[in-house]
Amino acid sequence: MAACSNNVEIRIIDTRKGKGLFAQMSLKEGDVIFEEQPVVSTQFLWNEMYKYLACEYCLQSLETAEEMSRRLTQNPALVLPYQQCCEARPSEYVVCPDCQVVYCSEKCLQFALSSYHRVLCMGSSKNDPEHPLSRLQEAWRNIHYPPETASIMLLIKMVAIVKQAKNKEEAIQLFSQFAKATVNEEEQIVHKLLGAEFKDQLEMLRQISVEAFFEDSVQQWFTPEGFQSFFALIGTNGQGIGTSSIGVWARNCDALELPEEEKAELDKFIDKLYDDLDRVTGTFLNSEGSGLYKLQSACNHSCVPNAEIRFPYNNHILALVALKDIAPEEEICISYLDECERERSRHSRQKYLRENYLFSCTCEKCLAQAEDPDITSEEEEEEEMEQMEEEGEDQ
């Protein structure tokens, strides 16, 4: 047993699947199974460069919903109704006095300073492109293009946490709980993150990291083999985090008690807003990042999940919510696929999971569809189109 909370327990399943998360009590559909703060989290570097303002510690979106909407729709005249539904509080924001990095509150600034930011604070060198941290971030952006699925800053923050810790062994133990891949899997994971030239790119990132952040107590992390393992760890365990002032505003608008006609007008406005956001910005709606979570990282995948991850507070605090009733001792599974991907053919789902997560799914849905033809959903659609064309010709 690796970890336990009141509602769940992490157990070792077998050498193939590794850990799993199991219910300790009866859970009802809609129950919050647990809420969890990450061991470490960071905003994606491309999102930061694209001016998504987020608290450096908790990733809370710092723009007001109107500011964010204007920027993402490229419509500076846009005015949002019901602005009281926006929860952004600019008057509470604070900055690091040395490097001017922004935090949503004094509390988050102090959390960052006490855990890692004293090591990472760039002071007056924040905009110096030759500073090692600037070089590392620029190297990462040149290697890992959007949409990002990981960040070099997770690694650097982990090192900084150890460097700044009074009890370094205790700090190192924070990260030992996360799943480790085999050497062959590590190469596949890093290759997926960095592309065809991953070995050269990984070595470049390693050398810059050694130059700026070497730490004796974790010197094994900085060897070529250790850095690859370290990198694969975040690729295996990293959980995407999405925060959005617009999302919070829209959710609060939806909860308003309004006359029917006024409600219909508001719904129409929000639908158009999201259409405009999708047209102009596409997938870059949220201020996104990544984090390592102790309990969440033990959740295995199912194409018919009984739980899902949410971020209810517009920051990095994760909630695991039951999608159906869950019995004691039942494994709690989430889906690594989005809702649309789960509706694709078994072959498409398996292909995606093998390419991105290095396993073949054996959930009840995949087992029930085991005799289905080994064709992707795209191939199925092409066959249907060809069949429709042939039927049209026959007529």
Side-chain angles (χ1 to χ4, degrees):
M1 184 177 71
C4 182
S5 78
N6 290 336
N7 292 343
V8 297
E9 179 182 74
I10 297 177
R11 300 177 191 164
I12 301 297
I13 298 176
D14 55 42
T15 55
R16 183 182 61 83
K17 287 188 73 174
K19 299 175 184 176
L21 193 70
F22 292 82
Q24 289 287 88
M25 58 189 294
S26 294
L27 298 165
K28 297 294 184 184
E29 179 181 347
D31 281 354
V32 176
I33 302 170
F34 62 77
E35 291 185 350
E36 181 178 19
Q37 187 164 316
V39 174
V40 61
S41 65
T42 188
Q43 185 182 17
F44 288 145
L45 289 172
W46 277 101
N47 283 73
E48 181 182 343
M49 195 172 85
Y50 285 153
K51 308 300 182 187
Y52 284 80
L53 303 180
C55 174
E56 195 278 329
Y57 178 75
C58 78
L59 306 192
Q60 178 178 311
S61 180
L62 298 181
E63 294 172 285
T64 65
E66 187 170 88
E67 290 170 339
M68 196 175 198
S69 298
R70 288 177 172 180
R71 180 173 60 82
L72 295 179
T73 61
Q74 297 179 3
N75 179 4
L78 180 64
V79 176
L80 296 191
Y82 306 100
Q83 294 194 26
Q84 72 272 20
C85 291
C86 176
E87 295 181 5
R89 300 290 180 265
S91 62
E92 298 178 11
Y93 301 165
V94 297
V95 298
C96 169
D98 295 320
C99 68
Q100 305 303 302
V101 166
V102 185
Y103 295 87
C104 68
S105 64
E106 181 67 28
K107 183 178 179 181
C108 276
L109 170 60
Q110 293 308 318
F111 275 137
L113 286 171
S114 65
S115 55
Y116 61 81
H117 188 66
R118 295 187 195 282
V119 169
L120 296 184
C121 182
M122 297 169 67
S124 60
S125 300
K126 185 175 186 299
N127 297 315
D128 179 5
E130 294 305 313
H131 188 284
L133 188 55
S134 296
R135 288 173 50 220
L136 185 65
Q137 292 174 339
E138 181 63 19
W140 174 257
R141 281 192 291 262
N142 287 334
I143 291 169
H144 194 67
Y145 293 99
E148 290 178 89
T149 54
S151 175
I152 189 67
M153 288 307 298
L154 269 185
L155 302 179
I156 298 307
K157 278 192 176 181
M158 289 163 70
V159 173
I161 287 170
V162 174
K163 286 178 79 74
Q164 198 171 306
K166 293 180 180 177
N167 185 332
K168 295 189 186 299
E169 287 186 9
E170 189 177 277
I172 294 168
Q173 187 63 30
L174 279 174
F175 308 115
S176 65
Q177 62 201 299
F178 293 101
K180 290 180 169 56
T182 66
V183 173
N184 183 54
E185 287 175 336
E186 286 177 356
E187 289 204 353
Q188 291 182 63
I189 293 165
V190 180
H191 187 283
K192 184 73 179 177
L193 290 174
L194 298 183
E197 303 300 322
F198 83 91
K199 289 189 176 179
D200 292 341
Q201 294 168 339
L202 189 66
E203 179 59 18
M204 177 179 64
L205 293 173
R206 186 186 74 85
Q207 288 177 2
I208 300 173
S209 299
V210 169
E211 176 187 337
F213 301 106
F214 184 80
E215 164 62 35
D216 279 334
S217 61
V218 286
Q219 57 183 285
Q220 69 275 15
W221 290 0
F222 292 94
T223 65
E225 296 78 11
F227 198 72
Q228 176 175 291
S229 297
F230 199 26
F231 212 93
L233 182 145
I234 66 166
T236 303
N237 297 276
Q239 165 64 46
I241 300 167
T243 64
S244 168
S245 294
I246 298 172
V248 173
W249 169 82
R251 185 175 69 236
N252 290 341
C253 281
D254 191 53
L256 291 173
E257 294 185 5
L258 300 171
E260 188 173 331
E261 186 176 333
E262 196 172 336
K263 181 68 172 174
E265 281 298 311
L266 177 58
D267 290 344
K268 184 178 178 181
F269 180 92
I270 292 174
D271 287 344
K272 184 180 184 306
L273 173 62
Y274 275 104
D275 286 343
D276 291 342
L277 289 167
D278 185 61
R279 176 176 49 81
V280 176
T281 308
T283 57
F284 279 87
L285 173 60
N286 296 336
S287 175
E288 294 187 331
S290 182
L292 296 179
Y293 295 82
K294 182 177 178 181
L295 294 173
Q296 172 275 333
S297 67
C299 286
N300 287 313
H301 163 82
S302 171
C303 297
V304 280
N306 56 12
E308 71 175 8
I309 289 165
R310 299 176 187 171
F311 292 92
Y313 305 113
N314 190 32
N315 60 20
H316 66 189
I317 295 175
L318 172 155
L320 188 68
V321 180
L323 293 176
K324 57 185 74 173
D325 291 354
I326 300 173
E329 302 302 311
E330 183 178 348
E331 185 175 6
I332 299 170
C333 293
I334 59 176
S335 178
Y336 301 170
L337 308 173
D338 64 30
E339 192 170 350
C340 290
E341 288 168 336
R342 292 202 297 272
E343 296 308 312
R344 299 174 81 81
S345 70
R346 175 184 179 275
H347 186 66
S348 290
R349 300 196 309 272
Q350 294 282 8
K351 182 173 182 289
Y352 182 89
L353 291 167
R354 281 194 299 271
E355 288 177 353
N356 290 276
Y357 298 99
L358 311 182
F359 73 90
S360 295
C361 182
T362 56
C363 73
E364 58 186 275
K365 182 174 182 177
C366 287
L367 291 177
Q369 296 174 347
E371 301 303 317
D372 288 1
D374 282 343
I375 58 174
T376 66
S377 294
E378 290 86 352
E379 291 167 340
E380 288 174 347
E381 290 167 4
E382 287 174 7
E383 286 187 0
E384 288 175 5
M385 288 294 292
E386 288 173 4
Q387 186 175 348
M388 288 172 65
E389 287 172 2
E390 288 173 3
E391 289 173 355
E393 289 171 1
D394 291 341
Q395 292 175 0

